[in-house]
């Protein structure tokens, strides 16, 4: 429900409602005035007001109810003109030109982003032809650092061999293992590319990278210096509450 | 032949004499106390009498003076420079602006985009209607409907650019006031299934449903159903009133186009159609009444038809048929020129601009990666907004930049004709 129902009995200004009966030059008769004027003894709070909201926060929370409703309908789009014969692939978001990690917001201006993607595609599309790289490398060029969630920064650090030279932060040697993993994933996927869509490949590689990252973090935690630092922290906490 | 031998017959000797002798004198005569008005007048006078030439010698022949036997407003001589300006109009090949449209439903039978006369664009994304004010590029949300009632299947601005009708999947139609963000009424019972197409005719909102029914709703009265048009057997996906409001064109999934005339309205039974046009072999969603010829209608066929057909709606005759090669999703006539814009699906998902009546392709605009299902035109007639299943909303300056749209000043043969008094 977009807004909660107000159950309080409130006095309604009939004169005001009457002046609002007809809206604008079109003279549309409103439901609310009809009900109130027909039964003057029953006084209810006005309905239908505040239906509109101004929402300026970013929209793209995945898994929200509205999104699910839309995609459910989408899968049911029937009719001769909607058949795959017209070339439209099934599935949500297959036609979307934006990378999957890009935050979506209704009517957000994406002119600059798309132009950057096009430029990048024109440049790297011929050379390497590996779809996985595109979303990771695009981050480099596009100046949307303020909008991108922190999770993406992680991806950016674990770069593919092609952009290893452009790493912004100095990374420990263990991180290079991850780039090796990416390479192997890329090579593996190149063989079975007909079966997997670019999106699936990307998801697979994201999973692999995620696993590798967790392993690295665990390794780092287990080093003696890390353990010492942790122990010192615990001691400090205990001393402070003594 | 290039040479530095001047052509005596092309020279203006009077002017040459003046420039060599009197011209300098006038400059010295100017006193500092001459008023700005005098200066302006002097300048304007000089300009009009062609006194600002710096050259005396001429090397080419004088251009032949145009001979006008029958002087008229639209003479060839005056139209010629305007025509070459038209030919040179540059149409940008890429969209001027692209907006994100997440969850835009990719369904051929819906009409989710409309640009109101108040210069506000309305677009329905799943269960929500968003308004985009073109004057300041601001976005606002008008309404979000419940999952069980939605998604929204059509949006249509009233002629006043303030009120907006929203058709839902559950067959209801809501009326909203966009200035106060208030819902005014909900119209139920006119359809048995989703309302995919709508069109306004002053206070009448005509709705077309998946049930094949077309209903005229008078929004001013309680019992809003005032007329029904029965003729379509399947979903009504295209609905457009002519500019005069006298005729209504409807297109359906049954491949039929009907022309309904207000003069045939009856109060007790469904109205019979004036013409039933059966030439298309696929669903007809794209309908557009010509802006410069009142009884000319353009229709576009779906994936199995792919043609644009032109009709005389008085006689019902088909004037022309053009094969476009791909599904025609939408049609728009230019308000400024004799041009027609069509939007297409597989494979190129392009917008094609045609010259009318020759139907020569002027340009093809690509950018969308999915079929361009929805199109709307700005109130000033210069910009077109298109939305597709690739979840983008693009703006194209296809009908000319706003400056070009202003009427070009007519060629004047008389000096001072634009001034109504001298001094």
């Amino acid at each position: 429900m977009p807004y909660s129902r107000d159950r309080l009995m409130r006095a309604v200004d009939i004169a005001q409602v009457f002046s609002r009966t007809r809206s604008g030059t079109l003279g549309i008769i409103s439901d609310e005035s009809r009900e109130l004027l027909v039964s003057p003894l029953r006084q209810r709070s006005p309905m239908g007001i505040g239906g509109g909201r101004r929402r300026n926060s970013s929209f793209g929370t995945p898994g929200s109810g509205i999104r699910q409703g839309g995609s459910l309908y989408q899968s049911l789009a029937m009719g001769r003109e909607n058949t795959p014969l017209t070339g439209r692939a099934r599935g949500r978001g297959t036609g979307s030109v934006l990378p999957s990690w890009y935050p979506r917001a209704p009517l957000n201006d994406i002119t600059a982003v798309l132009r950057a993607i096009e430029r990048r595609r024109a440049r790297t599309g011929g050379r390497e032809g590996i779809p996985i790289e595109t979303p990771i490398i695009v981050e480099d060029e596009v100046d949307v650092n303020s909008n991108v969630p922190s999770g993406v920064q992680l991806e950016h650090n674990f770069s593919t061999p092609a952009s290893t030279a452009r790493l912004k932060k100095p990374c420990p040697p263990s991180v290079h293992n991850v780039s090796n993993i990416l390479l192997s994933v890329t090579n593996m996927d190149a063989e079975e590319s007909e079966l997997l869509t670019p999106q699936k490949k990307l998801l697979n590689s994201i999973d692999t990278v995620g696993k590798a990252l967790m392993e690295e973090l665990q390794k780092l935690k287990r080093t003696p210096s890390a353990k010492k630092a942790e122990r010192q922290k615990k001691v400090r906490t205990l001393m402070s509450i003594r | 032949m290039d040479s530095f031998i001047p052509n005596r017959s092309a020279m203006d000797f009077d002017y040459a004499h003046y420039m060599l002798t009197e011209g300098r004198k006038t400059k010295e005569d100017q006193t500092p106390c001459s008023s700005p008005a005098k200066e302006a007048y002097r300048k304007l006078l000089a300009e009009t009498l062609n006194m600002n030439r710096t050259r005396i010698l001429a090397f080419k022949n004088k251009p032949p003076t145009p001979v006008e036997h029958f002087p008229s407003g639209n003479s060839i001589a005056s139209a010629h420079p305007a025509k070459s300006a038209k030919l040179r109009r540059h149409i940008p090949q890429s969209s001027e602006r692209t907006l994100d449209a997440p969850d835009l439903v990719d369904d051929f039978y819906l009409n989710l985009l409309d640009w109101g006369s108040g210069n506000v664009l309305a677009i329905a994304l799943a269960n929500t209607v968003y308004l985009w004010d073109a004057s300041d590029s601001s976005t606002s949300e008008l309404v979000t409907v419940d999952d069980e009632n939605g998604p929204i299947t059509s949006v249509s601005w009233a002629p006043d650019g303030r009120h907006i009708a929203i058709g839902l999947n559950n067959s209801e139609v809501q009326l909203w006031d966009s200035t106060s963000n208030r819902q005014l009424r909900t119209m139920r019972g006119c359809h048995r299934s989703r309302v995919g197409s709508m069109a306004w005719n002053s206070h009448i909102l005509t709705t077309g449903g998946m049930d094949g029914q077309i209903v005229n709703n008078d929004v001013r009265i309680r019992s809003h159903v005032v007329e029904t048009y029965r003729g379509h057997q399947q979903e009504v996906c295209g609905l457009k009133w002519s500019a005069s409001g006298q005729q209504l064109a409807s297109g359906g999934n049954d491949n039929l186009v009907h022309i309904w005339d207000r003069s045939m309205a009856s109060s007790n039974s469904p109205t019979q159609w004036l013409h039933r046009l059966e030439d298309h072999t696929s669903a007809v969603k794209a309908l557009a009444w010509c802006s410069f010829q009142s009884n000319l209608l353009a229709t576009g066929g779906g994936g199995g038809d792919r043609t644009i057909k032109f009709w005389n709606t008085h006689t019902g005759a088909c004037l022309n048929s053009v094969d476009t090669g791909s599904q025609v999703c939408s049609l728009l006539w230019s308000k400024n020129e004799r041009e027609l814009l069509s939007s297409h699906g597989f494979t190129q998902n392009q917008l094609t601009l045609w010259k009318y009546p020759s139907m020569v392709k002027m340009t093809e605009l690509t950018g969308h990666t999915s079929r361009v299902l929805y199109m709307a035109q700005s109130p000033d007639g210069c910009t077109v907004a298109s939305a597709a299943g690739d979840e983008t909303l693009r703006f194209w300056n296809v009908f000319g930049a706003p400056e070009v749209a202003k009427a070009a000043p007519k060629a004047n043969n008389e000096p001072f004709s634009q001034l109504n008094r001298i001094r």
Side-chain angles (χ1 to χ4, degrees), chain A residues 196-238:
Chain A
L196 297 171
T197 65
Q199 284 75 9
K200 279 219 180 101
K201 280 189 223 167
L202 185 56
L203 285 169
N204 288 342
S205 58
I206 288 173
D207 284 335
T208 326
V209 169
K211 267 186 237 156
L213 173 64
M214 292 315 292
E215 280 174 21
E216 292 300 333
L217 280 173
Q218 292 299 322
K219 257 191 237 168
L220 284 171
K221 267 199 196 149
R222 283 187 293 228
T223 61
S225 52
K227 280 188 180 160
K228 209 176 176 187
E230 218 176 327
R231 193 172 171 282
Q232 276 188 349
K233 205 168 77 171
K234 277 191 188 156
V235 168
R236 240 183 288 136
T237 326
L238 285 170

Side-chain angles (χ1 to χ4, degrees), chain B residues 247 257 259 274-280 289 293 295-299 308-321 356:
Chain B
Q247 291 186 320
V257 174
I259 307 291
L274 178 65
H275 296 296
R276 173 178 263 192
L277 312 173
E278 302 179 80
D279 293 28
H280 282 289
W289 290 93
Q293 208 173 312
N295 59 337
L296 176 64
L297 174 73
T299 60
I308 297 176
K309 297 190 194 291
F310 298 90
W311 309 89
N312 176 330
T313 58
H314 286 341
T315 62
C318 181
L319 304 170
N320 195 4
S321 179
Y356 187 81

Side-chain angles (χ1 to χ4, degrees), chain A residues 1-3 20 22-32 34 38 47-55 59 65-71 73-74 77-82 85-88 92-93 95-98 102-111 114-115, chain B residues 95-100 102-110 123 125-126 130 132 139-142 144 146-147 151 158 160 162-163 169 175-177 181-186 194 200 202 219-222 253 255 282-283 302-303 327 346 369 371 390-394:
Chain A
M1 285 290 288
Y3 46 87
R20 278 206 312 250
R22 303 271 170 187
S23 172
T25 51
L26 213 51
I28 301 169
I29 184 165
S30 62
D31 283 337
E32 143 207 297
R34 266 212 325 255
V38 157
M47 60 157 229
I49 292 179
R53 294 190 291 276
R54 296 200 181 249
R55 191 192 280 177
F59 170 78
I66 294 165
R67 280 212 147 182
Q68 283 169 1
S71 56
Y73 181 87
Q74 186 63 72
M78 296 177 298
R80 272 177 296 133
E81 298 301 323
N82 286 328
L85 187 69
T86 59
R88 191 181 68 87
R92 233 208 113 246
S96 180
V97 292
L98 289 170
Y102 191 81
R104 310 292 300 273
L107 306 187
N108 199 21
D109 196 328
I110 53 172
T111 320
L114 287 183
R115 281 207 193 119
Chain B
S95 52
E96 182 211 343
R97 190 201 295 250
T98 310
L99 304 184
D100 196 7
D103 293 324
L104 181 69
V105 180
D106 186 18
D107 190 329
F108 181 87
Y109 300 98
L110 309 185
I123 185 168
L125 304 178
Y130 291 95
W132 186 78
T139 306
S140 66
E141 181 189 321
L142 178 69
T144 299
D146 292 337
D147 258 348
D160 64 2
R162 174 184 165 179
H163 297 97
N169 193 43
L175 279 183
W176 284 76
D177 179 350
N181 269 7
R182 227 160 45 96
Q183 180 175 359
L184 299 171
R185 68 184 299 186
T186 303
R194 78 177 175 202
W200 284 88
S202 73
V219 298
R220 305 167 307 177
I221 59 180
R222 182 174 183 171
N253 194 33
N255 308 349
S282 271
Q327 184 188 43
F346 185 73
T369 56
R371 53 206 185 138
D390 60 6
E391 298 183 330
T392 60
L393 172 64
R394 291 176 187 258

Side-chain angles (χ1 to χ4, degrees), chain B residues 238-305:
Chain B
L239 209 56
K240 288 274 162 68
W241 278 100
S242 64
S244 63
Q246 183 62 26
Q247 291 186 320
L248 173 71
S250 65
N253 194 33
D254 48 11
N255 308 349
L256 299 174
V257 174
H258 286 109
I259 307 291
W260 314 86
D261 200 296
R262 299 224 71 188
S263 58
M264 296 177 70
S266 70
S267 51
N268 46 7
S269 61
T271 311
Q272 175 73 348
W273 63 82
L274 178 65
H275 296 296
R276 173 178 263 192
L277 312 173
E278 302 179 80
D279 293 28
H280 282 289
T281 57
S282 271
V284 182
K285 178 191 177 186
L287 299 172
W289 290 93
C290 184
S291 46
F292 49 85
Q293 208 173 312
S294 61
N295 59 337
L296 176 64
L297 174 73
T299 60
D305 178 280

Side-chain angles (χ1 to χ4, degrees), chain B residues 91-207:
Chain B
I91 301 168
Q93 292 295 295
S94 58
S95 52
E96 182 211 343
R97 190 201 295 250
T98 310
L99 304 184
D100 196 7
D103 293 324
L104 181 69
V105 180
D106 186 18
D107 190 329
F108 181 87
Y109 300 98
L110 309 185
N111 288 280
L112 304 179
L113 185 69
D114 195 20
W115 204 326
S117 59
N119 208 13
V120 177
L121 185 74
I123 185 168
L125 304 178
N127 293 347
T128 308
V129 175
Y130 291 95
L131 302 180
W132 186 78
D133 191 336
S135 52
D136 60 3
S137 305
S138 64
T139 306
S140 66
E141 181 189 321
L142 178 69
V143 59
T144 299
V145 301
D146 292 337
D147 258 348
E148 64 257 19
N149 298 332
I152 292 161
T153 50
S154 54
V155 296
S156 183
W157 284 101
D160 64 2
R162 174 184 165 179
H163 297 97
I164 184 166
I166 298 168
L168 302 180
N169 193 43
N170 70 351
S171 81
E172 287 178 3
V173 176
Q174 294 182 357
L175 279 183
W176 284 76
D177 179 350
S178 66
T179 38
S180 57
N181 269 7
R182 227 160 45 96
Q183 180 175 359
L184 299 171
R185 68 184 299 186
T186 303
M187 297 191 292
R188 298 181 182 88
C190 28
H191 292 281
R192 293 190 295 272
S193 42
R194 78 177 175 202
V195 179
S197 54
M198 297 192 290
W200 284 88
N201 184 355
S202 73
H203 55 265
I204 300 283
L205 172 66
T206 308
T207 53

Side-chain angles (χ1 to χ4, degrees), chain A:
Chain A
M1 285 290 288
Y3 46 87
S4 59
R5 205 168 297 176
D6 188 353
R7 298 178 198 281
L8 288 174
M9 291 298 204
R10 286 209 179 87
V12 178
D13 186 358
I14 297 286
Q16 197 193 20
V17 169
F18 192 78
S19 68
R20 278 206 312 250
T21 305
R22 303 271 170 187
S23 172
T25 51
L26 213 51
I28 301 169
I29 184 165
S30 62
D31 283 337
E32 143 207 297
S33 59
R34 266 212 325 255
E35 288 177 28
L36 282 164
L37 294 171
V38 157
S39 53
L41 296 175
R42 268 189 307 139
Q43 289 190 349
R44 295 184 304 151
S45 56
M47 60 157 229
I49 292 179
R53 294 190 291 276
R54 296 200 181 249
R55 191 192 280 177
N56 50 14
S57 57
S58 66
F59 170 78
T61 49
S64 70
I66 294 165
R67 280 212 147 182
Q68 283 169 1
S71 56
L72 182 66
Y73 181 87
Q74 186 63 72
S75 59
L76 299 173
M78 296 177 298
R80 272 177 296 133
E81 298 301 323
N82 286 328
T83 58
L85 187 69
T86 59
R88 191 181 68 87
R90 285 276 160 202
R92 233 208 113 246
T94 16
S96 180
V97 292
L98 289 170
S100 55
W101 47 262
Y102 191 81
R104 310 292 300 273
L107 306 187
N108 199 21
D109 196 328
I110 53 172
T111 320
V113 179
L114 287 183
R115 281 207 193 119
I117 293 173
E118 272 308 301
R119 277 203 306 269
R120 173 53 77 177
R121 196 167 285 161
R123 252 186 280 158
T124 60
R127 264 196 289 131
E128 279 133 356
I130 299 168
I132 302 169
E133 289 192 318
T134 322
I136 302 172
I137 298 174
V138 162
E139 233 273 279
D140 216 8
E141 282 218 0
V142 175
D143 188 23
V144 286
N145 285 325
S146 52
N147 293 339
V148 172
S150 57
V152 183
Q153 304 291 342
L154 225 48
E155 261 191 53
H156 181 71
N157 289 334
F158 302 118
S159 57
T160 59
S163 49
T164 314
R166 279 186 270 126
L167 278 177
K168 286 184 184 163
K169 294 182 193 169
C171 44
S174 55
V175 172
H176 285 304
N177 294 341
V178 183
S179 51
N180 290 338
I181 293 169
L182 265 176
L183 240 185
S184 61
V185 165
T186 315
N187 290 334
M188 175 185 70
D189 281 350
E191 290 155 16
E192 16 172 304
S193 54
E194 309 92 61
L195 302 172
L196 297 171
T197 65
Q199 284 75 9
K200 279 219 180 101
K201 280 189 223 167
L202 185 56
L203 285 169
N204 288 342
S205 58
I206 288 173
D207 284 335
T208 326
V209 169
K211 267 186 237 156
L213 173 64
M214 292 315 292
E215 280 174 21
E216 292 300 333
L217 280 173
Q218 292 299 322
K219 257 191 237 168
L220 284 171
K221 267 199 196 149
R222 283 187 293 228
T223 61
S225 52
K227 280 188 180 160
K228 209 176 176 187
E230 218 176 327
R231 193 172 171 282
Q232 276 188 349
K233 205 168 77 171
K234 277 191 188 156
V235 168
R236 240 183 288 136
T237 326
L238 285 170
M239 298 295 271
S240 65
I241 58 177
R242 191 156 63 109

